[in-house]
Amino acid sequence: MVALMANQGAMSDKGFKRLMEIETKYRTHRSADQLHAIALFPKLFDDFPVPVIINAAILKLADYYRNSNNIQRHAILQVVKKSEPHLKKLLNVEETIKRISPTLHSNDPLARALTLRVFGCMATIVYDRTDVYHIVIHSLDSSEAMEVSAAVYAADKICAQSQKFCAIISGKLAFMVRDSKTPLPLRRRLIRIFGHMFEDITLARLARKTCLDILNLNQDGEYTVAILRTLTRLASHSLVDVQQQIELLLQNARSHPLSDNQRVSLTCLGSLAQKGIEFHPHQIKAIFKLGVESKNEKTVLRCMVTLGRIFRLTSGVLSSLLLLDSGKDTVTEFIQMAIQILEDSRSRLVHLECYSLLSVIIPGYREFMSASEDATYLETVKTVTKSMELFLVWIWSSMTASLSFSTQSLGKFRDEEAAQGRIVLEMLLTITLQQASPLEAQEAIDSLFKTLLDWIETYQDWSVLLSKALLHLARQAPQRMHALYDRVISILERKVDIQESESFTLLFRALLESAAMTRTLLVSDDIGLESKLSPLFERFSRLAEPSGSIQTRDRWELYQLARFSLQSGWPALALLTLKCSSVSGDNIQDTVQSVPNGLWLSSVQMVASIEGSVQHAGRMLVTALQHNPSEKQSLDLYEQQQGYAKVIGYLEEMCAYKIDRDFQLRLCTLRRNYLRTCQLAVTTLHQLSMSLSRYHHSSIFDLPGDESCLLECADQFNELAHQYTLLSAPASSSTSSLTSPSRDLSSDRAMEVLYTLCLVLAYSLQKLANILSEIRSSDNVKQIETFDIDPLLIPLLFDQQQDDMDHDRTITRRNTFINVFRKSTRMILEHLTDNLRGRDLQSLERGISIVRQLIAQFVAYPVPIPQEFFVSNTASFASKNKARV
């Protein structure tokens, strides 16, 4: 508090010094210097917004105003206008009014008019001054037109601040607007003042009655427009006679075609909708009919804009309509009229508004639709989507006609087309993804996929926008993207040849995201897709290197692809893109100037190399076990563990540059321990299998270390799962504010995969140890104490009671990477529970084979790297160091 007061004191001293400099300049008595000094006051208020400075400066301006000429008074008026936000800090309001008011007694009407306008600009501080009320009302009777105009300006400003003044002046205003001697332009200004009289119901009704009386007698178009706007403002703020106002506006719109009255009436209806006022069905239908019957494109456009505001901004209007007895028929009629307007109109803007309106009505209508109405609904959706597709083709085909425009006009024309195409394309995706039944939706999505790919090949100028749409669609329906991989890859090959890096990146991400979301725990044919995509990267890097070095933007694109490849579980592709982004292809640190950046890129490249080799080792083991399940294969992951040790060294070296890498260090340590435990478990299973082949049934139990090693491995996997769970909590909170490429590949989802793998492996090893224990107990051999892992405690089982119907809904968000992973894992757990039991050697041999295959599959599984791994926080590092100190 003391520091704040000292700061304000220092600011006041500087402000007074500046004020004295301005006053010194004003006292030179040269007109130009005086005007320049007056113009410096707004800057003074902005630099020193302290009440004492503002008070002293305003009083000084009041003195200048009283003793100066009209030119300086006009300059002071402009200062007051610019400084309205600071006027509330004025301390001596009464003294300021006293110094300005004497000018009102001048014989100069211009001086009096300027003074009235000053009072109007000071309405925020004089709104409760009775003497100001008297001055303004008295000036309305002046014979000087400029003084009356200034009084109307002041009255408008003060009425906006004071309902008391509204009540006092309402009678005077009612008399003046009815008086035929009052000039018509002045009456239009006076009528707008009634729009401020909405806080008191009685006053609002009186103002409305006055406006309606004048409206019935008036023949002037501009005056009528002013009255309609005033009535709408009164109704929207006071909520008095709202429905009567809507009917009045509809009547004016119908009875005055192609006029300003119709235009303003429709605009006022839209402003009422913005206030959340509910429209009755017959009122909405009247607006639709007006749009259908009108032959003027501008009128149709205004009708559609008004309807769009009604349905988008009025909460629950569609639900309220559908809950009525005849609500479905009414909404169906609305949709048909909107489609008719689409067919009749040739205006792009009208089409845009129609599509926007239908994109709101159709999804809402689907929720209340019965099964018997599916055919009608689907036919409507097909009609609308077909119209949207034709509209997009219309826009993109018009590019050839735009070549005749000038350069400036062409740029503006292309910007408008891009905006229109983007909006309609987004609405097309929305309507297509929200079909009535899954089967029809799949057909519509397949058709849209093929249409988008056709457009990407045909309209090169719009390939980036279309690629973004394809990426969005692939995220929503990854299963439907699977059948189009070959075609997308062929398009990628052409994009590389013509060097379209942005659309190439988007299409590539669409492939990766859809592939990642449709993966299961079984080792899929990842090598086939990688072999198709790898040559594309090599060509991309060569073509992006026109002068011997890859451009910065292309390097960033490659890094983004590598980053997302790791987040999707494609380390081989990530490694290839990182190598392509380096100049030499061998040392990635040479491509950056910053040492921390070089260390980080080396870390990412090393992680990609490690994960790729881990997957390769797992695949080799899976393949060997599939061809000969009884073959005694081992798993050697020592080099990968050493690789993670090297990455940890890079990350620790980065911490010396005050870059927070705590999450990355912990994650790499856990991955290294996970690989070591997997190798230990496979080795233990190999030894146990060897002991089964060497010893007889009576002598196998002389080696109790096998069971202890199994339980130790299970315990280590359990501990790793616990550590992953602890690590996932800060990861989830840290990435909540980030824009992730896919919700299901964010850090919390990736961490769930990591700790779930550990939990399942711990469960399988414990079940195998139980079989061995059962065999020992059957021969009265002393049992080793075991622990139990309940599979129902595994977090992924929280949605085990999910209805199986969700499995067939392939277009919803539920069928994403993490949910496919959960369902596949539940199937594996059921398989383990059913097969890992018994008390004979045959059960033990079967269990060893199952667990070994499971570990091999989990090692080969494409583990996603959490998004938090790619985020650094220098501020977090500084705060941690401060806390330690």
Side-chain angles (χ1 to χ4, degrees):
M1 180 63 71
V2 175
L4 179 62
M5 294 177 63
N7 186 26
Q8 289 184 350
M11 183 180 292
S12 299
D13 293 339
K14 293 180 181 178
F16 278 117
K17 183 178 179 180
R18 178 87 64 83
L19 182 60
M20 293 299 295
E21 293 174 356
I22 294 174
E23 185 176 3
T24 302
K25 190 168 188 176
Y26 185 83
R27 288 179 178 177
T28 58
H29 299 294
R30 290 192 296 270
S31 180
D33 290 341
Q34 290 178 333
L35 290 173
H36 185 259
I38 293 172
L40 294 176
F41 276 92
K43 184 71 167 54
L44 173 67
F45 295 150
D46 293 335
D47 293 343
F48 304 98
V50 182
V52 291
I53 300 296
I54 292 173
N55 186 71
I58 293 294
L59 289 174
K60 190 67 66 178
L61 280 173
D63 287 335
Y64 296 165
Y65 187 89
R66 180 180 55 188
N67 301 317
S68 60
N69 54 41
N70 287 336
I71 296 177
Q72 294 183 11
R73 287 170 182 155
H74 184 269
I76 293 172
L77 172 62
Q78 300 305 315
V79 170
V80 176
K81 278 185 178 180
K82 293 179 181 178
S83 307
E84 282 189 39
H86 300 292
L87 292 179
K88 291 185 178 180
K89 299 177 182 179
L90 182 62
L91 303 176
N92 296 333
V93 177
E94 185 173 357
E95 181 63 26
T96 303
I97 295 174
K98 285 182 178 179
R99 296 187 184 187
I100 295 176
S101 296
T103 314
L104 291 168
H105 303 295
S106 171
N107 292 327
D108 185 358
L110 179 57
R112 297 196 300 270
L114 290 172
T115 306
L116 287 167
R117 290 186 178 273
V118 169
F119 283 139
C121 294
M122 300 173 66
T124 54
I125 59 175
V126 302
Y127 65 90
D128 58 346
R129 302 284 302 186
T130 307
D131 51 348
V132 176
Y133 297 167
H134 175 75
I135 292 170
V136 173
I137 295 173
H138 177 74
S139 299
L140 289 173
D141 295 327
S142 175
S143 58
E144 297 292 340
M146 69 175 68
E147 186 175 357
V148 175
S149 178
V152 172
Y153 173 83
D156 188 18
K157 289 287 188 178
I158 297 174
C159 282
Q161 302 290 331
S162 173
Q163 288 297 303
K164 178 181 176 182
F165 185 58
C166 288
I168 294 173
I169 202 174
S170 60
K172 179 68 174 178
L173 294 177
F175 172 79
M176 293 183 69
V177 295
R178 286 188 174 96
D179 190 1
S180 59
K181 296 180 180 179
T182 305
L184 193 58
L186 188 60
R187 275 189 276 174
R188 289 199 292 267
R189 294 178 59 194
L190 289 170
I191 205 71
R192 296 189 184 100
I193 301 178
F194 284 104
H196 300 301
M197 303 179 184
F198 51 77
E199 292 189 7
D200 182 76
I201 295 179
T202 303
L203 190 60
R205 288 189 180 276
L206 178 62
R208 178 175 177 79
K209 183 178 182 304
T210 303
C211 292
L212 289 174
D213 292 342
I214 301 170
L215 182 64
N216 295 330
L217 300 174
N218 176 62
Q219 300 296 327
D220 181 70
E222 294 185 14
Y223 199 16
T224 302
V225 167
I227 295 172
L228 290 175
R229 286 176 173 166
T230 301
L231 288 170
T232 303
R233 178 177 171 82
L234 281 172
S236 62
H237 286 82
S238 66
L239 303 181
V240 175
D241 302 324
V242 175
Q243 294 302 321
Q244 289 85 341
Q245 179 62 20
I246 294 175
E247 295 293 342
L248 174 65
L249 293 172
L250 288 173
Q251 180 182 353
N252 267 275
R254 287 191 296 262
S255 58
H256 298 87
L258 304 178
S259 66
D260 288 340
N261 285 359
Q262 185 184 68
R263 174 182 58 82
V264 173
S265 297
L266 292 172
T267 303
C268 290
L269 287 169
S271 64
L272 289 174
Q274 285 182 314
K275 295 294 183 180
I277 294 173
E278 184 177 356
F279 283 70
H280 292 169
H282 72 276
Q283 296 168 343
I284 299 175
K285 184 177 180 180
I287 303 174
F288 266 113
K289 289 184 65 177
L290 182 61
V292 171
E293 295 171 358
S294 178
K295 303 301 181 183
N296 183 268
E297 294 287 0
K298 292 184 178 180
T299 301
V300 178
L301 177 60
R302 294 187 188 102
C303 290
M304 299 313 299
V305 170
T306 302
L307 289 167
R309 290 179 178 177
I310 291 173
F311 281 96
R312 286 194 301 269
L313 303 178
T314 307
S315 59
V317 60
L318 186 60
S319 301
S320 301
L321 287 173
L322 292 170
L323 290 174
L324 298 175
D325 294 336
S326 59
K328 291 183 181 179
D329 296 335
T330 303
V331 175
T332 302
E333 186 178 2
F334 291 167
I335 294 175
Q336 295 302 324
M337 285 192 285
I339 294 175
Q340 183 178 348
I341 292 173
L342 274 175
E343 295 173 351
D344 296 340
S345 176
R346 293 294 178 267
S347 170
R348 288 182 180 177
L349 296 178
V350 172
H351 281 233
L352 280 173
E353 292 297 332
C354 286
Y355 295 144
S356 177
L357 179 62
L358 289 170
S359 66
V360 174
I361 296 178
I362 290 178
Y365 176 62
R366 181 178 67 88
E367 297 178 1
F368 292 84
M369 184 186 59
S370 61
S372 60
E373 299 168 325
D374 280 358
T376 304
Y377 171 80
L378 292 173
E379 188 63 30
T380 301
V381 171
K382 288 180 180 179
T383 303
V384 174
T385 53
K386 185 63 176 178
S387 176
M388 288 182 174
E389 291 176 4
L390 292 174
F391 178 84
L392 290 171
V393 173
W394 178 22
I395 285 183
W396 295 327
S397 299
S398 64
M399 288 297 298
T400 54
S402 67
L403 296 176
S404 59
F405 288 83
S406 64
T407 304
Q408 183 176 0
S409 301
L410 178 60
K412 183 178 180 181
F413 186 67
R414 290 173 64 95
D415 291 342
E416 292 178 355
E417 285 184 328
Q420 293 172 0
R422 183 173 61 253
I423 292 170
V424 176
L425 192 58
E426 181 180 351
M427 291 185 287
L428 175 61
L429 292 173
T430 302
I431 294 178
T432 303
L433 290 170
Q434 296 180 347
Q435 299 281 355
S437 64
L439 180 60
E440 296 291 342
Q442 292 174 13
E443 295 178 359
I445 290 174
D446 290 341
S447 176
L448 184 56
F449 264 126
K450 295 176 182 177
T451 302
L452 287 174
L453 291 174
D454 290 339
W455 287 346
I456 289 173
E457 292 182 294
T458 306
Y459 304 107
Q460 300 295 333
D461 293 334
W462 306 98
S463 60
V464 174
L465 175 63
L466 293 167
S467 300
K468 290 180 180 179
L470 186 72
L471 174 60
H472 176 74
L473 192 61
R475 288 172 178 172
Q476 302 300 318
Q479 292 82 0
R480 315 311 302 171
M481 181 80 174
H482 183 75
L484 302 171
Y485 279 1
D486 291 337
R487 185 175 179 187
V488 175
I489 290 175
S490 65
I491 295 175
L492 282 173
E493 293 173 352
R494 287 191 289 274
K495 295 296 181 184
V496 171
D497 293 334
I498 60 178
Q499 302 185 30
E500 289 189 8
S501 59
E502 189 172 359
S503 58
F504 174 86
T505 305
L506 293 168
L507 289 174
F508 179 80
R509 288 185 61 164
L511 276 180
L512 283 189
E513 291 201 26
S514 59
M517 290 180 182
T518 53
R519 275 174 167 168
T520 64
L521 284 179
L522 301 177
V523 178
S524 57
D525 189 17
D526 294 342
I527 301 176
L529 186 58
E530 289 180 359
S531 63
K532 294 179 181 179
L533 295 178
S534 297
L536 295 177
F537 279 116
E538 296 176 357
R539 292 168 59 186
F540 179 81
S541 61
R542 288 197 300 268
L543 293 173
E545 193 176 355
S547 59
S549 61
I550 301 177
Q551 301 300 317
T552 302
R553 180 180 180 277
D554 294 319
R555 290 185 191 282
W556 176 249
E557 295 291 343
L558 287 168
Y559 173 75
Q560 290 293 330
L561 288 176
R563 171 176 169 169
F564 182 76
S565 298
L566 281 174
Q567 291 177 244
S568 304
W570 302 85
L573 293 177
L575 182 62
L576 181 59
T577 55
L578 289 171
K579 287 182 177 179
C580 290
S581 65
S582 62
V583 176
S584 63
D586 296 325
N587 188 5
I588 198 169
Q589 295 193 40
D590 294 339
T591 64
V592 293
Q593 298 178 354
S594 171
V595 175
N597 289 343
L599 291 171
W600 171 245
L601 290 177
S602 298
S603 301
V604 175
Q605 185 179 21
M606 181 66 70
V607 169
S609 177
I610 293 169
E611 293 295 334
S613 61
V614 167
Q615 290 185 17
H616 177 72
R619 287 172 184 155
M620 296 293 292
L621 183 58
V622 168
T623 304
L625 293 175
Q626 286 176 347
H627 286 84
N628 187 5
S630 62
E631 186 176 351
K632 309 303 184 291
Q633 291 287 337
S634 61
L635 181 66
D636 185 8
L637 299 176
Y638 178 76
E639 291 185 3
Q640 290 82 352
Q641 297 173 45
Q642 292 299 110
Y644 266 119
K646 190 174 182 180
V647 173
I648 292 172
Y650 287 150
L651 295 174
E652 289 176 345
E653 190 174 349
M654 290 180 66
C655 293
Y657 293 91
K658 298 182 179 181
I659 300 175
D660 182 16
R661 292 297 177 189
D662 182 65
F663 178 89
Q664 290 83 351
L665 285 168
R666 294 169 62 189
L667 180 66
C668 290
T669 302
L670 291 177
R671 284 295 292 166
R672 182 181 61 178
N673 294 339
Y674 171 79
L675 297 179
R676 183 175 64 246
T677 307
C678 286
Q679 181 174 340
L680 176 62
V682 172
T683 302
T684 302
L685 293 173
H686 176 70
Q687 292 175 354
L688 181 58
S689 180
M690 293 292 293
S691 63
L692 282 176
S693 63
R694 290 179 181 177
Y695 298 101
H696 297 288
H697 182 271
S698 58
S699 61
I700 185 174
F701 302 107
D702 296 335
L703 299 172
D706 292 335
E707 185 178 353
S708 300
C709 289
L710 290 175
L711 293 175
E712 182 181 354
C713 291
D715 191 20
Q716 291 179 13
F717 277 122
N718 248 348
E719 179 62 24
L720 285 171
H722 176 67
Q723 293 297 327
Y724 276 128
T725 306
L726 295 178
L727 189 60
S728 65
S732 177
S733 60
S734 300
T735 58
S736 60
S737 60
L738 300 175
T739 304
S740 61
S742 176
R743 290 180 58 186
D744 300 293
L745 295 177
S746 58
S747 292
D748 53 344
R749 302 306 189 189
M751 297 302 293
E752 181 177 338
V753 172
L754 293 171
Y755 68 68
T756 299
L757 295 177
C758 296
L759 286 171
V760 174
L761 290 176
Y763 176 67
S764 64
L765 290 170
Q766 190 269 339
K767 293 288 288 185
L768 186 62
N770 284 344
I771 295 176
L772 188 56
S773 177
E774 290 289 336
I775 296 175
R776 293 178 183 280
S777 62
S778 64
D779 285 351
N780 297 321
V781 179
K782 183 179 179 181
Q783 297 187 58
I784 298 178
E785 202 174 307
T786 62
F787 60 92
D788 186 33
I789 304 174
D790 188 355
L792 296 179
L793 297 178
I794 298 178
L796 64 93
L797 296 177
F798 76 93
D799 59 349
Q800 191 171 11
Q801 303 301 324
Q802 180 74 30
D803 192 351
D804 292 337
M805 293 177 61
D806 289 339
H807 181 71
D808 299 326
R809 301 182 63 179
T810 56
I811 63 168
T812 61
R813 289 179 180 266
R814 295 183 180 276
N815 270 344
T816 53
F817 165 75
I818 191 64
N819 285 295
V820 172
F821 172 80
R822 289 169 180 166
K823 292 176 182 178
S824 302
T825 307
R826 288 200 299 272
M827 294 172 60
I828 288 179
L829 285 174
E830 293 173 0
H831 177 73
L832 294 177
T833 304
D834 293 338
N835 292 276
L836 291 182
R837 57 185 177 181
R839 54 175 61 196
D840 53 7
L841 289 179
Q842 185 177 2
S843 300
L844 183 59
E845 290 177 349
R846 182 179 67 248
I848 292 173
S849 177
I850 291 174
V851 175
R852 190 161 53 180
Q853 290 181 13
L854 180 65
I855 295 176
Q857 289 180 357
F858 278 15
V859 171
Y861 181 71
V863 175
I865 302 299
Q867 184 179 353
E868 178 71 5
F869 183 82
F870 302 94
V871 178
S872 62
N873 190 349
T874 307
S876 174
F877 183 90
S879 63
K880 288 180 181 178
N881 285 344
K882 184 177 180 181
R884 290 171 185 168
V885 174

